[in-house]
Structure formats: C-alpha cells, structure tokens
C-alpha cells in the first residue's frame, strides 16, 4: 500500500475593496429599509400608538353605551308589569319623543 501525501494549501481569497464596499452598502440599505418600516410601516410603532389611542376612545364609548343599555334594561323591566303603570309609560314616551303635556310649563334658558 502506498501512502500518498496530499499537501493542501489554503488560499485566502482576497476580495477587492469595491466588492466589500458594495456588500457593506447593501447591508446598510437593508437595515435602513427595515428600520423605516419598523417605525412607519403598516404594523410599525406609529401604527401601534394610533391603535392604543383608538382603543382608549373605544373603551370610553363602550362604557357610555353600557350605561345607556342598563337604563334601557331598567325601563324594559318596569314596563314588563301587566299592565304597565300609565305614568311610567307617559314618562318614558315624553323622554324618548321629546313631547310635553299641555299642562306642563316649559322654561327655556338662553345662554
């Protein structure tokens, strides 16, 4: 058996400085592109801030709608009596329709 010794030489590939600069410029460009979209993009930080603001406004609206719903539920519960009390029906109708009884006195305040 013969033993062949293979000598391997390691060669360093020297890249020209122009190609190194091109790779560096491409990496910087990609970084700038992704950073821009992370801040200003559709799912970026600015969009998140707008969603948080909108969430706060919607929570306030939900609370006001829940209060109106509970008032309506109270009125429905009072009207479920058989037969409903006529004064209660009249009071609710006046409030909803904005009418007044002919014997009522109406005071108009001017600002």
């Amino acid at each position: 058996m013969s033993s062949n010794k293979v000598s391997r030489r390691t060669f360093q590939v020297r890249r020209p400085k122009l190609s190194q600069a091109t790779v560096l410029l491409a990496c910087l460009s990609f970084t700038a592109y992704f950073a821009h979209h992370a801040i200003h993009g559709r799912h970026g930080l600015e969009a998140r801030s707008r969603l948080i603001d909108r969430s706060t406004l919607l929570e306030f609206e939900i609370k006001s709608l829940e209060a109106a719903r509970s008032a309506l539920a109270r009125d429905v519960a009072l009207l479920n009596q058989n037969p409903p009390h006529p004064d209660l029906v009249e009071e609710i109708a006046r409030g909803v329709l904005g009418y007044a009884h002919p014997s009522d006195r109406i005071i108009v305040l001017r600002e």
Side-chain angles (χ1 to χ4, degrees):
M1 302 210 155
S2 69
S3 64
N4 291 338
K5 290 186 178 180
V6 178
S7 66
R8 294 185 182 174
R9 290 186 181 177
T10 57
F11 292 102
Q12 289 183 343
V13 178
R14 294 187 182 207
R15 293 184 181 158
K17 292 194 185 243
L18 180 62
S19 68
Q20 288 179 348
T22 304
V23 170
L24 179 64
L25 183 61
C27 290
L28 288 176
S29 299
F30 284 127
T31 302
Y33 173 81
F34 288 119
H36 171 76
H37 285 286
I39 295 171
H40 303 289
R42 182 175 172 193
H43 301 288
L45 297 175
E46 288 181 358
R48 182 177 185 271
S49 140
R50 285 190 305 267
L51 287 174
I52 290 171
D53 292 342
R54 186 168 183 226
S55 170
T56 304
L57 292 174
L58 290 176
E59 285 176 5
F60 176 74
E61 185 178 350
I62 286 171
K63 288 179 183 177
S64 65
L65 289 174
E66 285 175 347
R69 183 181 183 272
S70 66
L72 289 173
R74 180 188 58 86
D75 290 345
V76 168
L78 290 173
L79 289 174
N80 278 340
Q81 301 170 1
N82 286 331
H85 196 273
D87 289 337
L88 181 63
V89 173
E90 185 178 351
E91 177 186 341
I92 293 173
R94 283 185 190 186
V96 171
L97 299 174
Y99 289 138
H101 193 270
S103 64
D104 289 344
R105 291 189 180 182
I106 300 174
I107 300 173
V108 178
L109 299 175
R110 295 183 186 196
E111 293 182 16

